[in-house]
Amino acid sequence: MNTFPNLPGWDGIHPAMVQFPIVLLFVAPLFLLVSLFSPRAWRTWAGASLLLMVLGAFTAWLAVATGHAGGQLVDKTPALEQAIARHEALGLLMRNVFTGLAVVFAVLMLLSAALKKPLPGGARISLHALFLVVYLGCTLAIANTAARGGFLVHKLGVQAMIEQAGAQGTVTARTPER
């Protein structure tokens, strides 16, 4: 007897996959904030933040791909099709924005490491603080994207294709009760 549940396929793993970029991209600015107040260990904290940003961007690519695969299986009404399209557009935007932010921060870190004379602490802190403000603004858009996904699941009844007890599940969408 197998005590572990079967892993869903590529088109059914989106609900689990989206958790990774959300968590990684929300934790990354905390490490960057710590780096602002750690003059001796700022590179370590900023490097850890960059690592989380890169992992978050990578998993955002996976989340978008799995969401697209799962979305192809949904029986769509016009209202549901519009809601899925909006969520997918926001997912694509977030994937691209956070990929860009990770690249920008990587360039900031590489420039800082390449300079023979490091930036004065105030200039570095100002640059990183400005980046942090922009980044935190973008995290609000992640929350909006996640809320749209929650709306699809909890209000419109979209379910992932997950195999249960040896039978293939289906992706369904029920119309919301009025």
Side-chain angles (χ1 to χ4, degrees), residues 23-35 41-56 102 105-106 109 128 131 135:
V23 169
L24 292 167
L25 295 171
F26 269 89
V27 172
L30 297 176
F31 282 56
L32 186 55
L33 184 65
V34 171
S35 79
W42 75 268
R43 283 186 205 275
T44 303
W45 286 102
S49 180
L50 176 60
L51 178 63
L52 291 175
M53 286 179 211
V54 169
L55 290 172
F105 195 66
M109 292 293 292
H128 285 200
F131 179 85
Y135 189 99

Side-chain angles (χ1 to χ4, degrees), residues 29-94:
L30 297 176
F31 282 56
L32 186 55
L33 184 65
V34 171
S35 79
L36 295 177
F37 299 102
S38 302
R40 293 182 190 188
W42 75 268
R43 283 186 205 275
T44 303
W45 286 102
S49 180
L50 176 60
L51 178 63
L52 291 175
M53 286 179 211
V54 169
L55 290 172
F58 174 72
T59 57
W61 281 82
L62 295 176
V64 167
T66 59
H68 180 73
Q72 299 300 308
L73 302 174
V74 175
D75 297 324
K76 297 177 181 115
T77 64
L80 184 57
E81 189 167 353
Q82 184 179 18
I84 288 173
R86 180 71 176 139
H87 177 61
E88 189 171 356
L90 285 170
L92 287 167
L93 178 64
M94 290 304 89

Side-chain angles (χ1 to χ4, degrees), residues 66-168:
T66 59
H68 180 73
Q72 299 300 308
L73 302 174
V74 175
D75 297 324
K76 297 177 181 115
T77 64
L80 184 57
E81 189 167 353
Q82 184 179 18
I84 288 173
R86 180 71 176 139
H87 177 61
E88 189 171 356
L90 285 170
L92 287 167
L93 178 64
M94 290 304 89
R95 177 197 72 186
N96 296 341
V97 164
F98 282 94
T99 298
L101 286 170
V103 168
V104 167
F105 195 66
V107 168
L108 282 174
M109 292 293 292
L110 288 173
L111 284 176
S112 175
L115 293 173
K116 294 188 189 251
K117 183 178 179 187
L119 286 174
R124 177 190 53 81
I125 289 172
S126 297
L127 265 174
H128 285 200
L130 176 63
F131 179 85
L132 186 59
V133 168
V134 171
Y135 189 99
L136 288 173
C138 292
T139 60
L140 294 175
I142 292 176
N144 185 30
T145 306
R148 296 253 181 200
F151 177 78
L152 286 171
V153 171
H154 300 292
K155 294 290 184 186
L156 299 180
V158 174
Q159 298 174 341
M161 180 178 254
I162 299 174
E163 194 174 311
Q164 294 180 349
Q168 186 68 21

